[in-house]
Amino acid sequence: MTYTLNAAHLYGDLMNTYGDIGNILAMRYYAKAVDATINVDLVSLDDEFDPDTYDFALFGGGQDYEQTIVSKDLQTKKAALTAYIEAGGPCLAICGGFQMLGHYYIGANGEKIAGIGALDHYTLSQDNHRFIGNITIKNAETGQTYYGFENHNGTTFLGKGERPLGEVLQGNGNNGQDKSEGVIYKNTFGSYFHGPILARNEALAKRILKLALQRKYPDADFSALDELHEDLTKNVVIKP
């Protein structure tokens, strides 16, 4: 049997500064192990987001100018995105996308930019400083270690119902204070990891992919994913 997932790349034409589309390409690679394909729609300005259409959503990062534009349009999708997240729809939000799923973030010039409050975090700004460098975290639930690169001015503080993607072992993470990095809320994952995160962290890629597949095909067996071990950063070339 062949399986199909429909993915929404939210504002992929504006919020893809760090090659975040690579996260979907990594998932496509792993999906082949269980005869699954992933179709991708760009959902951008003035487009509708239908929570019943999509099995996975990617929300990447961008510069402040693009995020200001996206913030305004995002309010028109607030109800649909919140419904999708609350229903357990798998989502990966990176940097600016992570910030805008929360209540608000403060831009580099001090302006308050609205999120949609689908998650209960908020983001402040640092004065003339950024968190830049390699980062390593450990997920408390699985014991898995994730590796990445962070580059952000924002400092994010998690809220009700949220838990971190991992505890910081090296680097700064969400805010440089509480050793949290990223967020998990239901089946939504957020992070400041660029790179992209799923190409470098096979276990996380397969975790999110299985969530999407099992949600759509609850009676299918996707154990073959657990037996697949590839390092996409070394020996695999992914083609869209």
Side-chain angles (χ1 to χ4, degrees), residues 33-223:
V34 289
D35 295 323
T37 59
I38 301 177
N39 300 320
V40 182
D41 289 339
L42 172 66
V43 179
S44 192
L45 302 179
D46 299 321
D47 294 333
E48 178 184 358
F49 176 83
D50 182 354
D52 297 323
T53 296
Y54 297 108
D55 309 299
F56 172 71
L58 172 68
F59 196 175
Q63 302 297 323
D64 279 357
Y65 176 73
E66 286 81 6
Q67 288 184 212
T68 301
I69 295 172
V70 167
S71 170
K72 296 176 181 177
D73 184 83
L74 190 63
Q75 307 309 314
T76 67
K77 302 175 178 59
K78 176 177 178 177
L81 279 168
T82 301
Y84 174 81
I85 289 170
E86 287 297 320
C91 177
L92 175 62
I94 302 298
C95 201
F98 170 25
Q99 293 171 349
M100 285 194 285
L101 289 184
H103 294 294
Y104 63 86
Y105 79 95
I106 305 299
N109 296 321
E111 68 278 23
K112 187 175 183 179
I113 301 171
I116 59 172
L119 277 66
D120 193 38
H121 57 264
Y122 63 92
T123 302
L124 304 180
S125 179
Q126 302 180 74
D127 292 331
N128 300 313
H129 187 263
R130 299 182 69 85
F131 292 146
I132 303 176
N134 292 322
I135 180 168
T136 305
I137 65 174
K138 186 173 183 178
N139 182 269
E141 300 157 37
T142 64
Q144 296 165 350
T145 301
Y146 304 140
Y147 303 90
F149 184 85
E150 60 181 343
N151 181 357
H152 56 105
N153 168 265
T155 55
T156 297
F157 297 87
L158 302 184
K160 183 178 179 180
E162 297 183 305
R163 59 194 191 276
L165 176 62
E167 178 184 358
V168 175
L169 303 179
Q170 174 195 356
N172 296 284
N174 287 340
N175 52 57
Q177 301 175 32
D178 59 17
K179 292 190 177 297
S180 70
E181 202 293 317
V183 67
I184 301 176
Y185 174 77
K186 297 196 172 184
N187 289 333
T188 291
F189 298 75
S191 178
Y192 279 111
F193 280 32
H194 297 298
I197 187 173
L198 298 188
R200 194 170 179 183
N201 296 281
E202 172 190 345
L204 183 60
K206 293 192 295 185
R207 178 179 180 180
I208 295 175
L209 177 60
K210 283 184 71 175
L211 284 172
L213 288 167
Q214 290 173 339
R215 183 171 180 261
K216 187 171 186 179
Y217 303 101
D219 297 325
D221 179 11
F222 299 110
S223 58

